[in-house]
Amino acid sequence: MTAQSPMATAIRLAGAAEALAALAAYVRVESGEVQVSGEIRTRLAAVVTELLGVPPPIDIGVMPVVGLARALLRQASDMVEHPGGSDVWAEPDVLVLQGMGRMSMAITEAFVVAVDELDGMGERLAAPDASLLDVGTGTGWLAIATARTFPSVRVVGIDLYDAALDLARANVIAEGLEDRIELRALDVTDLAETATFDVVWLPLPFIPERSIPAAVAAVTR
């Protein structure tokens, strides 16, 4: 195997970064979020056709794609500036937080699959009093996507990170869902309710290992 020079490797990797950026830009344009000239739109469409192998328009999840691109590219830039690591939670980047939150919207696809595979779940989530607990709700985008996907469901989102919750509250209001989404500053291990929720989303990779047994016990009550 012949070793590549750092510059040759950088040039090769740059193509992937630019392709991700172009895909996210195309999605924003096609969703109507931003307006560009016809020439730019045509060029973006050509890039996306090359990437995906099909000509636009395509059925693409707007928020998750844009959120993924924003979060990864901003975090990559932060790594360049701070190779030793930076305290991103002490001074949060709003675009990164919002981007990571929008990525989570794609999780609703797993909820839809679960409805088809778990007996009674679909009927329960269609009931007028249906409820879902979103643990680690962050900026609230998963709660928002869930409320849209299941029109009968009331969502309770809990988190400990005030900066994310502030954004979540603003997002929920902007989406007009404050009557169906409740946000709480709460540790899942302190959850005292019993027999309250029909479904619980518990993102174990984001919960400290020492807290997992207590978290599981709390949500299964």
Side-chain angles (χ1 to χ4, degrees):
M1 181 176 180
T2 304
Q4 288 189 333
S5 70
M7 190 61 190
T9 301
I11 292 172
R12 175 173 54 84
L13 294 175
E18 291 177 343
L20 176 60
L23 177 59
Y26 170 78
V27 170
R28 292 190 70 208
V29 169
E30 290 303 302
S31 70
E33 186 178 345
V34 293
Q35 301 296 320
V36 299
S37 68
E39 180 183 359
I40 295 298
R41 187 172 183 174
T42 299
R43 289 184 179 183
L44 287 173
V47 172
V48 171
T49 299
E50 181 68 22
L51 290 173
L52 302 180
V54 294
I58 50 176
D59 183 16
I60 238 176
V62 175
M63 293 301 189
V65 170
V66 175
L68 173 66
R70 278 180 169 156
L72 292 183
L73 293 174
R74 299 277 283 206
Q75 287 178 312
S77 177
D78 184 71
M79 182 180 292
V80 173
E81 299 302 323
H82 307 284
S86 63
D87 191 352
V88 296
W89 303 113
E91 297 182 11
D93 185 316
V94 170
L95 283 180
V96 170
L97 290 179
Q98 292 280 39
M100 293 175 68
R102 285 173 170 158
M103 285 168 57
S104 71
M105 297 176 81
I107 294 170
T108 54
E109 297 175 10
F111 294 167
V112 172
V113 171
V115 163
D116 292 334
E117 295 186 355
L118 299 177
D119 290 341
M121 182 172 171
E123 291 78 2
R124 199 46 229 144
L125 290 182
D129 60 343
S131 61
L132 180 143
L133 177 65
D134 177 20
V135 177
T137 194
T139 51
W141 286 109
L142 175 57
I144 290 168
T146 300
R148 287 176 176 168
T149 303
F150 302 98
S152 297
V153 172
R154 173 177 170 271
V155 182
V156 174
I158 64 174
D159 207 297
L160 288 173
Y161 190 35
D162 289 336
L165 281 174
D166 288 343
L167 292 171
R169 294 185 182 99
N171 292 336
V172 168
I173 291 172
E175 296 296 320
L177 290 168
E178 59 266 41
D179 60 331
R180 293 182 51 213
I181 298 176
E182 176 188 351
L183 299 171
R184 305 178 189 171
L186 181 68
D187 189 320
V188 63
T189 61
D190 294 329
L191 188 70
E193 290 161 291
T194 60
T196 301
F197 301 102
D198 299 295
V199 177
V200 174
W201 170 249
L202 185 64
L204 293 179
F206 295 97
I207 296 176
E209 186 175 357
R210 65 182 182 279
S211 300
I212 289 177
V216 172
V219 300
T220 54
R221 279 198 295 268

